[in-house]
Amino acid sequence: MSETALIVGASGIVGSAAAEVMAAEGWQVAGLARSPAAQAGLVPVAADLQDPASLRAGLAGLRPTRVVLSTWMRRPTEAEMIRVNGAMVRNLLDALRPAGSVRHVALVTGLKHYLGPFEAYGRGRVPQTPFREEQGRLDVENFYYAQEDAVFEAAARDGFTWSVHRPHTIIGKAVGNAMNMGTTLAAYAVLCRETGRPFRFPGSAVQWNGLTDMTDARLLARHLLWASRTPGAANQAFNVVDGDVFRWSWMWGRLASWFGIEPAPFDGTVRPLADQMAQDGPAWAGIAARHGLAEADLGRLASPWHTDADLGRPIEVVTDMSKSRRLGFLEYQATDEAFLALFARLRADRLIP
């Protein structure tokens, strides 16, 4: 039977990678957005997740068998995030219900399931690392939990299976993305090289010295595909990371070397990128003009606030992948190579010089 995937968030880091992987499998792939951009091999679906009438109109005639939910909307408080993001998932699944075609829904969340929301990120009582899926939810409000509950309720009602995917920080290409460490660090490195500023690690001593892991968007996309057609993965939540661990004290030099710069010594001082890059918009515009780059707006490439949240955490964060391994997902990605592959792609697409 032919498969049709509906990807919500198809222009983002996760969604674009998932679209490539599923299209390569011969699936028809549709991408939903309020104003979908043209993407090769992707059927555009224009709809607003906050507007049920818009969803009914946009999805009319579409009969997806697989749905990937890889989008969210940022709001000032967690309570508002819960209200808005939970409603968006419910609205989508309600609009898809009349067609009766959906057999599996994959929801992409993240390690804030274990770390808590942005308002209390990595602070207070968190589960022991490495994080394991059976550790469950924290006793705090979290919009990820609201998204999960909306999927669980619709699955029980409509009879489809589900999977929840919890990546760590994702490495991948997307322009205008709210959480994009790889491109943020690439832009920062270019600014340091072009202006002569030191390439300083912006985060905490815990992150510099401790172990961590990350998630390549391409590996996550293959995990989404695997879970959607592996019977044993049905109705399960999974951590998804590359499979290696590293210390930023090692990785920082690897990143610097690719850009032809020296990493500055780390003295234990936290120097947030939000402060370091706050006035860099004009400098980036000048770099873009000199090198003929495709994006002159630094705000469309870099998300310092999110990179600071990850690199400034006061705890070590590593993630257990045993559950997926036991069920047969054995793929691996070296994280330093994921960063370097992203940088090469950004350069090829004229997003960095």
Side-chain angles (χ1 to χ4, degrees):
M1 179 178 180
S2 63
E3 301 283 4
T4 299
L6 173 65
I7 300 179
V8 184
S11 63
I13 291 176
V14 177
S16 58
E20 290 181 10
V21 165
M22 292 175 181
E25 290 291 309
W27 294 13
Q28 181 183 11
V29 183
L32 186 149
R34 279 178 302 211
S35 300
Q39 290 178 250
L42 199 67
V43 177
V45 176
D48 184 346
L49 291 172
Q50 297 187 83
D51 183 349
S54 167
L55 283 165
R56 288 193 296 270
L59 294 169
L62 191 68
R63 296 180 56 83
T65 55
R66 314 289 181 184
V67 177
V68 175
L69 286 160
S70 59
T71 191
W72 62 286
M73 188 170 291
R74 194 178 181 196
R75 285 291 183 265
T77 67
E78 195 65 21
E80 185 67 3
M81 298 259 279
I82 290 168
R83 185 188 68 79
V84 170
N85 289 285
M88 291 195 305
V89 174
R90 288 192 299 273
N91 291 343
L92 175 75
L93 298 179
D94 286 348
L96 289 170
R97 187 184 189 193
S101 60
V102 176
R103 301 204 306 274
H104 186 84
V105 172
L107 172 66
V108 180
T109 62
L111 294 195
K112 285 189 295 300
H113 183 93
Y114 309 106
L115 287 163
F118 289 124
E119 294 174 357
Y121 197 43
R123 294 171 174 82
R125 184 177 181 180
V126 297
Q128 185 180 34
T129 57
F131 295 140
R132 293 181 170 86
E133 296 90 345
E134 63 268 21
Q135 288 169 317
R137 296 179 175 183
L138 300 175
D139 188 21
V140 296
E141 291 187 326
N142 191 323
F143 82 89
Y144 282 172
Y145 305 162
Q147 288 182 309
E148 285 185 345
D149 288 342
V151 171
F152 300 161
E153 291 163 10
R157 178 191 70 194
D158 298 335
F160 57 76
T161 59
W162 54 266
S163 55
V164 175
H165 304 256
R166 299 171 186 156
H168 199 166
T169 305
I170 301 170
I171 303 169
K173 182 201 166 189
V175 176
N177 194 271
M179 299 191 297
N180 193 340
M181 179 188 285
T183 307
T184 299
L185 292 179
Y188 174 57
V190 169
L191 284 161
C192 290
R193 185 183 67 197
E194 298 278 324
T195 64
R197 284 157 40 186
F199 184 58
R200 296 188 183 279
F201 181 71
S204 68
V206 171
Q207 293 305 307
W208 180 255
N209 295 311
L211 292 172
T212 192
D213 49 30
M214 293 185 71
T215 306
D216 188 307
R218 299 166 299 178
L219 182 140
L220 174 55
R222 295 192 293 272
H223 193 270
L224 289 163
L225 178 68
W226 166 81
S228 76
R229 59 188 186 187
T230 300
N235 304 330
Q236 298 287 332
F238 296 100
N239 297 328
V240 191
V241 287
D242 288 340
D244 62 352
V245 294
F246 64 91
R247 302 181 199 276
W248 278 106
S249 57
W250 172 80
M251 184 68 78
W252 202 246
R254 294 282 288 147
L255 305 190
S257 178
W258 195 90
F259 289 95
I261 55 180
E262 289 294 323
F266 179 64
D267 62 5
T269 304
V270 176
R271 296 180 172 88
L273 290 179
D275 296 338
Q276 291 194 55
M277 301 176 73
Q279 307 302 320
D280 281 338
W284 184 264
I287 292 168
R290 288 197 303 276
H291 294 280
L293 300 185
E295 182 54 72
D297 183 354
L298 181 61
R300 296 264 299 154
L301 297 174
S303 51
W305 70 273
H306 175 258
T307 299
D308 287 338
D310 276 8
L311 298 186
R313 288 184 299 215
I315 59 171
E316 182 177 271
V317 178
V318 288
T319 316
D320 184 74
M321 271 281 285
S322 298
K323 186 175 183 180
S324 290
R325 304 303 189 212
R326 287 193 297 267
L327 289 169
F329 184 82
L330 305 178
E331 298 207 29
Y332 162 86
Q333 170 65 56
T335 300
D336 60 329
E337 293 175 3
F339 269 120
L340 305 188
L342 170 64
F343 299 158
R345 185 175 181 183
L346 295 175
R347 179 172 286 171
D349 292 343
R350 295 189 304 109
L351 291 170
I352 62 171

